[in-house]
Each structure stands twice: as structure tokens, then as C-alpha cells.
Amino acid sequence: SLKMASDSPESLMTLCTDYCLRNLEGTLCYLLDNETLRLHPDIFLPSEICDKLVNEYVELVKTDSIFEPHESFFTLFSDPRSTRLARIHLREHIVQDQDLEAIRKQDLIELYLTNCEKLTAKSLQTLVSFSHTLISLSLFGCCNIFYEEENPGGCEDDCLVNPTRQVLVKDFTFEGFSRLRFLNLGRLIEGVNVETLLRPLASLAALDLSGIQLNDVGFLTQWKDSLVSLVLYNMDLSEEHIQVIAQLRKLRHLDISRDHLSSYYKFKLTRRVLNLFVENLVNLTSLDISGHTMLENCTIPSMEEKMGQTSIEPAKSSIAPFRGLKRPLQFLGLFETSLCRLTHIPAYKVSGDKNEEQVLNAIEAYTEHRPEITSRAINLLFDIARIERCSQLLRALQLVITALKCHKDDKNIQVTGSAALFYLTNSEYRMEQSVKLRRQVIQVVLNGMESYQEVTVQRNCCLTLCNFSIPEELEFQYRRVNELLLNILNQSRQDESIQRIAVHLCNALVCQVDNDHKEAVGKMGFVMTMLKLIQKKLADKTCDQVMEFSWSALWNITDETPDNCEMFLNYSGMKLFLDCLKEFPEKQELHRNMLGLLGNVAEVKELRPQLMTSQFISVFSNLLESKADGIEVSYNACGVLSHIMFDGPEAWGICEPHREEVVKRMWAAIQSWDINSRRNINYRSFEPILRLLPQGISPVSQHWATWALYNLVSVYPDKYCPLLIKEGGIPLLKDMIKMASARQETKEMARKVIEHCSNFKEENMDTSR
């Protein structure tokens, strides 16, 4: 079952393979001369392990941007005495001529080369060394493998005048490939004579000639007793083609589908052709006629069609020619044809655009080799996910993830796939998704953001990330996700909506994480990026969400992180603070965020002298009277001043305003606050507040700290009583009550805090036996 499959953890084999590939030097290999990877001499690995190492390596290079490819990787498998390869799948630019050359001594049974555009005719020669064992071979999309470089002048100096030119190899054939049964030559370049190439193969069972135009396919009849699968996708057919196909009586799978957008096709399907196939190809279990136009109506009259429940019995088929089938087909491809919308289709699996099941079948069938069709199918899935509820959510998600991984560089798939992911991961589907599956989604989303600076993909990816719990679910890719978001925000011209989402994500990522995470993100340039955004908004005289989120993000990232506080000051943060205060005197949310951040700066003893200017102290003092956002702005301003006061009168290096005058205003502010205020604040630790308790130099700071504790333990006892007890606040409060310098009202409040905590403890004692 799909549900179970997606929930089960990775196998030990997969985990070990992944670990070894990411740590080749520390596990299987050593470095020779500091550059070449060599296998340890005492290592002997069977094909089950070697195949997995090679196939996973290709997958990692393709889909994991952090993974570093090794130039000498394939040489590890050059000696069949220590490593055996049997079935390998290589893709795209990852594999070059010398890589295949390195493993030429291996007895390969199955070799799939998909879109390996860097392979040239040198690799054709290497293929010959596998000829005695190969059973399956795919050269799909290897568009240069029949070209060799020829230097016309033949001499070195001449090369500069006559650069090497590509010449088509005409004399290669599959002579000697005596065991070859399955062959895929999809998207083979024009000019290669397919008939000559294939003639030596005695008993082909499966042949794929997708995207090749052959006017004469008569030679196929030489395999009429062995061919069970034939794929002629995007070949423009004629009556001659049909007559040849009808003779291939052993066929179980026939695919004559086409991309109806790709070019003008003269051929039209008729009732007669389908009848011919049904009569002659008696073993047929799978047929694909997607993208075809039916020349005449071969459907049953609608009155008759509507009778009874939906049936896959050939006798009831809505498509007349299929009434001649002996049994229902296993698969019938009807994508982008009018036939897929009929009621009775005699097949267990149908690809089409009628409903979710048909659309998912299409994505599943065409992803690997037909991205042009797949992106249209994913687009239909996107509409289904957006408008109605998906009934096969896990299957849909896994198919989209596979398509996005497989076609990382295909813009259409990245756009439609990332849009579909947004709807498939939103909250209503949350319960059905395992951690493993959600991590896979995050990986492909980040791949998309990395590969595409394109607005739609970036927006879709950022929106999809918003469907996750942040920072928890993104923590396993913490560095990478922050780097990508900062990269987006640092682009000089940025789409307003993406900027807003990216800042929101950045803010969420630095909230509630460990200090080492915050320091690391600070070093990535986070503080600088936020200040630049604020600077831009200030220049435009705009106080929007980007402005507010940027200050909020700075507040979060400086929390108990002195390095980031220092960066804020070094990059003229205080000037921006004053300018914003002046430009937006009414923006309460903004004031709260800015003062929360300055509270963090004021907690760092070494940085406080930089806040000790007449201008700053006056601003903080005036904000004590602010009614913005309940008590928050006034409370934070008082917090900043409490830390400054804590350094004592000798640190007060300014004439105006007087220290006593500011102290008086602080007392007045604290007395005006409602002790039951519900708070827009979240303390992870009381340490910065508790350090203000055991001192006699600034009773007002002591009072602010006690008030803060009293407010939090009385309004949110469940959260803050345990925190205060855990951090040793109670003995500090008891000691403070004994101090002569502490004000009477401060002591009263301290007693109430202690009382609250002991009541809380009693209420929550575990009395169960």
C-alpha cells in the first residue's frame, strides 16, 4: 500500500549507501596524491551494492546541490575483481565518455543512458565491450552519441584555423550484441540508418523509436515472432506503418501516441485501424493512442452508452472497435483525446484528462521520457487539487515529487509542479503526510528555488514552504533554506509579493531556534540584508509588511546573540531606527519590533556604551509615555533603560537628560501599566531579566525586572512558572526581599511572584500513585 510505503523509514541499505557516498574518503576510499579517489584494497562488493552506489550517486548529483561530484568516481568500479556492476541507470551531463570507458570491463546486463548529451561516438566503442552480456540498453536522448570529432587538417596548428567538426558515424551496428532484447533509441538524431543499425539483432523483444521519423518500417517484420513491445511515440504514421504493425502478432504493448501540440500530423486514426489492431494483435494488453484525432466517430450512440453502471467489460465498451477485445486491457492511453471522457472504457488503467485517476495515470506513464506531456498532466492535477479535494493525495504527491526531481531543468514542469505542491501540502492534507514525504517535498522545493531565478517558480516555492511548521520542519535544511531566501532578498529588482513571503519566512526561521543557528545565519549576511530592505522601504517612505517583518526578524535574530547585536550597530542600525521613528510616528507594530530589538542590544554589556548618547536616551525616555501596542513599546523602552541604569551613575556619560530625571520617568511608566496585560512577547529564557535582581545600584531596574516576572507568571502561569523555577529565579527573589536598597513595592511584588510559583507547583504536583 502506498500509505505504508511512504511512512516506512529508509532501509539500512539506503542509509548506508547515502552515508558512504557522502563520505567516500572516510569509508570505501582513500585519496591518492591528494586528488584521485581509490578503493581500499581490501574492499570487495557484489553487484547489488555496486549498482546501488552508482545509481544513487547519479541521483545525488542530480538532485542535491550540496553533494559534490567526484571526477574519478567511475574509476572505483574499473576492476571487476573487487566491484561488480550489472544494472545501472545514468543520466544527463553527469556521465561522460571517460566514465563509461572506466567501467568497460564490467559485465553489464542493463545499461540505461537517459539524455546523456555529453556522450560521443567514443562511447559507442565502449558499448561494444558490453556487447556479450547486455540484455537491455537505452540510448534515449543521447543526441551526440553518433557523432565523432574529426579534425579535417589533421595537424595541431591547423586546429586553430579549422576547429574540429562533428561528423556522423555511419558504420556502427549492433553486430555482436547477441543477447540484446530490449532497446530504446528514443530521440535518435536524423541521419542514422535505423534498419542497418538493428539488423544484426536476432530476437528483439522491445523496441522504442520515440521521436524518430521513419517512412519505411517494413524491417520490423523480421521480429514478428519475438517483438512484444513497440513504442513509436511522435512518429507520423501512414497506411504502410499500420499494415506493418498489424503483422507483429506477438505484440503485448503498442504505443503510437503523440504530442498533439508538437507539429502537424497528416495521419488520423480511424475505426478501421483500431479494428485491425484488435483483430490481429490478439495478445495486446496495453495500447496508447494519446494525442490522436479520430477521423470518424467510433463511439457507441449515447443512449446505449448511458445504460447501467460503469463497466470495463469489452462487450459494453463505449468505443466500438474495443468490443472485439477478448478481455479488458491492462492499460489504455487516451490522454488528450475525446475518447477518455466516455463512460465504458475496457481497461483497468486509463490515462486521460477526465478525472483525477486518469490524470495520475498520465503523470505516472509519461514522466520519465515525455516532460512535455507530463507538465500538461500536472497542470490538470493542479486544477483538481485547487478546486476539489484530491482523493489519492499520497500518490499525487509522490508523482509530482518524482517529476520535479527527474526534470530539474525543465521550466514548464518546475512551474506547474511547484504550483501543484502548494495545494497538495496545505493544511487540510497535513494529517495524511509522513515526515519522510514532507522532507522530500522540501528538498524538491529547494532544488526548484536553486535552479530557477524565475518569478513564478520562486513564488510557488516560497508559498509552499509556508505550508510547513517553521522552523521545526525546515531545520534539517536550515543553512540551505536561509541562503536561498537571503539570495532572493538580495536581488536588486525583486517582485514585491515574493519579497514579502521571503521576509516572512526569514523571520519565522530565526524565531525559536538555538543561538548557534542565529549566529550562523548572522554570518551569512542576514542582518545586513534586513537593514538593506529597511533602507529601501524608508527611501520609498513605505511602512508595509516587509518593513515590519524585517524589524521583527532583526528582533528575533539578535535575541541573546551578541554577535548579531554588534552587527546591527556596525551597519548603522541605530540611524535607521531613528529615521523610521521619525518617518512613521504612528506605526505601533513597527515601534514594538524596533524596541524589542534594542532591548536585545541593551542586554549586551559591551555594546551599551554605544547607546549612551543624549539623542538615544531622550528617544527612549520619550517612548516611556507611548501607549502604542498596549504597554509593549513603553515596556521595551523601559527595559532598554533598565539595562543602561544597571551600569551605574559613572557610566552615565551625558549631561542631558539627567539620570535622576530618567529614573523618575521610568517609575512613573511602570506604575501606569496594567499588571494583567496580555503580552506580545515570548521569552525563551529569563536570564537577562534575572541578572537585574541581585543589585543595589539601580532599584528602578530591579523593579522593572520584578514587574516583568510578576506579569508573566500571573498571565501565563503554565509557561512561565516552570521557566522561572528552572532558571533559579526563586532564591534570587528571596535574596532581593532581604536587601535594604530594594524598594518596598518591589519586595511586595517579589513575594507575589514567589507565591504564584509555589501555588502553581502545588496544583501541578503529580499525586497519582
Side-chain angles (χ1 to χ4, degrees):
S1 106
L2 205 65
K3 174 83 177 134
M4 295 315 294
S6 74
D7 279 348
S8 57
E10 296 289 5
S11 69
L12 187 56
M13 173 78 154
T14 302
L15 292 170
C16 292
T17 308
D18 186 72
Y19 183 80
C20 288
L21 287 170
R22 290 178 191 277
N23 304 279
L24 278 170
E25 256 184 89
T27 53
L28 306 172
C29 305
Y30 65 95
L31 266 191
L32 185 71
D33 317 326
N34 276 340
E35 52 179 349
T36 316
L37 274 176
R38 279 290 161 84
L39 213 58
H40 281 299
D42 55 352
I43 282 180
F44 300 91
L45 299 171
S47 60
E48 292 83 350
I49 291 178
C50 294
D51 290 349
K52 197 155 172 65
L53 281 167
V54 170
N55 296 335
E56 284 298 314
Y57 171 81
V58 171
E59 188 69 11
L60 277 175
V61 175
K62 194 168 152 31
T63 57
D64 190 336
S65 61
I66 305 161
F67 184 76
E68 283 292 321
H70 294 276
E71 210 163 288
S72 51
F73 178 77
F74 285 89
T75 59
L76 302 176
F77 305 91
S78 56
D79 186 353
R81 287 172 303 184
S82 54
T83 53
R84 289 282 169 89
L85 288 173
R87 296 178 169 82
I88 57 173
H89 299 208
L90 309 178
R91 298 182 153 275
E92 296 170 24
H93 59 275
I94 297 162
V95 61
Q96 305 188 25
D97 290 328
Q98 64 265 30
D99 298 325
L100 271 191
E101 173 71 14
I103 58 170
R104 73 183 183 283
K105 291 182 184 165
Q106 294 285 357
D107 292 336
L108 291 183
I109 295 169
E110 192 175 282
L111 174 62
Y112 290 167
L113 302 169
T114 308
N115 295 324
C116 299
E117 295 179 0
K118 288 197 173 176
L119 296 182
T120 70
K122 285 183 190 151
S123 287
L124 285 180
Q125 295 318 309
T126 310
L127 285 183
V128 175
S129 55
F130 308 128
S131 61
H132 59 293
T133 53
L134 265 188
I135 293 174
S136 293
L137 173 66
S138 169
L139 301 177
F140 181 88
C142 299
C143 52
N144 295 311
I145 200 163
F146 280 88
Y147 280 115
E148 63 185 348
E149 288 187 351
E150 188 185 71
N151 178 3
C155 101
E156 291 298 314
D157 302 331
D158 228 18
C159 300
L160 301 171
V161 191
N162 297 320
T164 55
R165 61 198 179 100
Q166 301 283 320
V167 181
L168 197 58
V169 172
K170 296 259 171 85
D171 56 356
F172 178 84
T173 73
F174 286 112
E175 187 69 57
F177 285 74
S178 56
R179 303 182 64 184
L180 199 61
R181 298 284 179 275
F182 304 90
L183 180 61
N184 184 340
L185 294 175
R187 307 226 324 260
L188 186 70
I189 42 118
E190 279 181 37
V192 177
N193 186 326
V194 178
E195 184 178 349
T196 316
L197 186 67
L198 300 180
R199 192 178 294 120
L201 298 174
S203 44
L204 263 186
L207 180 62
D208 188 326
L209 299 173
S210 296
I212 304 172
Q213 191 47 52
L214 295 177
N215 296 326
D216 178 12
V217 291
F219 65 90
L220 292 176
T221 56
Q222 67 178 303
W223 299 293
K224 65 176 188 292
D225 295 326
S226 64
L227 205 61
V228 292
S229 170
L230 178 64
V231 179
L232 304 177
Y233 170 69
N234 268 355
M235 188 181 287
D236 199 8
L237 306 170
S238 65
E239 184 54 38
E240 286 76 27
H241 288 81
I242 299 301
Q243 291 306 326
V244 169
I245 293 169
Q247 292 176 56
L248 306 173
R249 291 172 174 271
K250 290 277 169 66
L251 277 186
R252 292 204 291 269
H253 171 63
L254 172 63
D255 183 343
I256 54 167
S257 63
R258 61 193 194 187
D259 175 1
H260 76 107
L261 296 182
S262 73
S263 63
Y264 174 70
Y265 292 100
K266 294 185 281 297
F267 179 79
K268 303 278 190 290
L269 257 186
T270 61
R271 193 177 188 136
R272 185 187 59 79
V273 169
L274 290 183
N275 275 327
L276 192 69
F277 288 164
V278 171
E279 279 164 35
N280 289 283
L281 309 177
V282 291
N283 297 315
L284 212 56
T285 60
S286 167
L287 174 66
D288 202 329
I289 53 173
S290 295
H292 275 279
T293 313
M294 292 302 297
L295 197 56
E296 70 228 321
N297 186 6
C298 67
T299 59
I300 300 299
S302 58
M303 282 303 291
E304 201 183 322
E305 197 217 10
K306 291 288 176 281
M307 302 291 282
Q309 280 192 305
T310 310
S311 167
I312 60 165
E313 283 309 309
K316 292 186 180 172
S317 171
S318 304
I319 306 162
F322 293 149
R323 290 197 160 184
L325 288 167
K326 304 277 180 292
R327 67 197 79 78
L329 293 168
Q330 293 295 324
F331 177 84
L332 179 57
L334 300 175
F335 190 69
E336 295 179 321
T337 66
S338 55
L339 300 177
C340 70
R341 295 189 192 87
L342 296 169
T343 309
H344 307 303
I345 301 175
Y348 293 103
K349 221 175 197 183
V350 178
S351 74
D353 46 34
K354 176 183 171 184
N355 54 30
E356 182 183 350
E357 171 68 20
Q358 287 189 0
V359 167
L360 293 177
N361 290 341
I363 299 172
E364 191 167 41
Y366 309 129
T367 289
E368 175 86 56
H369 292 126
R370 302 177 195 175
E372 61 285 359
I373 307 281
T374 308
S375 72
R376 301 206 290 273
I378 293 175
N379 211 17
L380 292 166
L381 176 65
F382 162 74
D383 283 334
I384 294 167
R386 186 170 56 97
I387 298 160
E388 42 192 291
R389 191 179 161 85
C390 266
S391 55
Q392 301 183 47
L393 172 76
L394 293 175
R395 184 178 173 213
L397 251 184
Q398 281 166 330
L399 288 172
V400 174
I401 289 169
T402 303
L404 284 166
K405 278 167 99 167
C406 190
H407 300 287
K408 196 169 154 212
D409 304 319
D410 185 301
K411 186 180 156 189
N412 289 334
I413 284 196
Q414 291 299 322
V415 170
T416 55
S418 57
L421 278 185
F422 170 69
Y423 285 102
L424 292 170
T425 52
N426 68 18
S427 52
E428 63 171 310
Y429 295 129
R430 184 67 171 276
M431 295 309 293
E432 300 171 47
Q433 295 164 12
S434 66
V435 172
K436 181 171 152 189
L437 195 60
R438 287 178 75 81
R439 284 192 166 191
Q440 285 178 333
V441 173
I442 291 165
Q443 295 274 27
V444 292
V445 164
L446 299 182
N447 285 345
M449 287 168 77
E450 240 147 22
S451 308
Y452 280 91
Q453 299 308 312
E454 203 272 337
V455 175
T456 322
V457 177
Q458 295 272 356
R459 185 186 298 114
N460 292 349
C461 290
C462 285
L463 280 169
T464 302
L465 290 178
C466 294
N467 286 337
F468 290 82
S469 307
I470 303 170
E472 300 80 17
E473 287 193 280
L474 298 183
E475 199 131 14
F476 80 109
Q477 291 279 293
Y478 198 75
R479 262 199 89 84
R480 187 175 171 209
V481 85
N482 274 295
E483 273 169 0
L484 283 166
L485 291 169
L486 292 179
N487 192 27
I488 287 176
L489 291 171
N490 282 323
Q491 286 161 22
S492 49
R493 296 180 58 75
Q494 188 48 272
D495 176 88
E496 186 69 33
S497 64
I498 298 182
Q499 198 178 57
R500 192 171 61 248
I501 306 161
V503 176
H504 160 72
L505 284 166
C506 277
N507 187 20
L509 277 162
V510 289
C511 189
Q512 303 294 303
V513 289
D514 296 340
N515 293 7
D516 51 354
H517 273 337
K518 291 181 185 176
E519 273 175 32
V521 176
K523 289 192 177 80
M524 282 180 210
F526 189 100
V527 177
M528 173 81 103
T529 303
M530 294 302 146
L531 289 170
K532 272 191 202 150
L533 288 175
I534 292 167
Q535 180 81 60
K536 263 190 213 147
K537 292 291 172 190
L538 193 58
D540 299 342
K541 299 192 179 330
T542 313
C543 181
D544 57 4
Q545 280 186 313
V546 172
M547 172 72 106
E548 285 177 9
F549 283 154
S550 300
W551 278 108
S552 177
L554 287 171
W555 180 6
N556 281 319
I557 202 174
T558 51
D559 178 36
E560 294 188 43
T561 316
D563 288 5
N564 292 340
C565 294
E566 188 172 7
M567 250 183 256
F568 169 79
L569 293 178
N570 290 347
Y571 297 141
S572 317
M574 289 305 288
K575 180 183 182 326
L576 279 180
F577 159 67
L578 294 173
D579 291 347
C580 286
L581 213 50
K582 193 168 156 198
E583 186 63 51
F584 310 111
E586 303 305 313
K587 294 286 184 182
Q588 304 198 357
E589 185 79 6
L590 181 71
H591 293 186
R592 175 174 76 92
N593 293 348
M594 294 197 301
L595 276 155
L597 153 70
L598 290 181
N600 291 339
V601 176
E603 286 170 12
V604 185
K605 187 176 173 52
E606 300 72 38
L607 301 178
R608 286 201 283 270
Q610 294 189 52
L611 303 179
M612 183 47 76
T613 71
S614 292
Q615 187 183 24
F616 294 154
I617 299 294
S618 300
V619 168
F620 299 143
S621 305
N622 292 336
L623 287 169
L624 287 168
E625 270 102 65
S626 164
K627 293 286 172 275
D629 203 17
I631 65 164
E632 294 305 325
V633 171
S634 175
Y635 169 88
N636 278 322
C638 199
V640 172
L641 290 167
S642 293
H643 289 290
I644 291 171
M645 292 294 172
F646 176 63
D647 291 336
E650 63 278 7
W652 198 267
I654 53 172
C655 305
E656 285 293 319
H658 289 302
R659 188 170 183 270
E660 287 66 39
E661 183 193 323
V662 176
V663 167
K664 209 161 36 189
R665 292 177 77 174
M666 287 166 73
W667 279 109
I670 299 171
Q671 271 144 0
S672 74
W673 303 335
D674 173 5
I675 196 65
N676 296 315
S677 300
R678 298 196 72 76
R679 308 299 305 284
N680 271 326
I681 203 154
N682 187 5
Y683 283 102
R684 285 188 311 136
S685 162
F686 280 148
E687 197 278 323
I689 294 179
L690 294 176
R691 72 172 85 132
L692 298 176
L693 292 179
Q695 48 99 11
I697 206 154
S698 169
V700 72
S701 307
Q702 213 173 31
H703 192 66
W704 174 83
T706 312
W707 189 96
L709 295 174
Y710 182 37
N711 163 258
L712 293 167
V713 297
S714 44
V715 180
Y716 308 102
D718 293 357
K719 179 170 184 185
Y720 290 118
C721 287
L723 184 65
L724 185 63
I725 293 164
K726 184 178 136 221
E727 295 196 336
I730 305 299
L732 285 173
L733 287 164
K734 285 180 174 165
D735 289 349
M736 188 258 282
I737 293 170
K738 295 177 194 152
M739 285 173 71
S741 59
R743 284 267 196 111
Q744 206 48 45
E745 55 209 284
T746 311
K747 294 178 181 183
E748 279 305 310
M749 210 172 260
R751 286 192 190 96
K752 287 180 188 163
V753 176
I754 295 167
E755 198 179 321
H756 253 297
C757 287
S758 59
N759 289 346
F760 174 82
K761 240 175 131 173
E762 275 166 32
E763 275 169 36
N764 291 277
M765 285 281 284
D766 186 3
T767 52
S768 58
R769 282 279 170 268

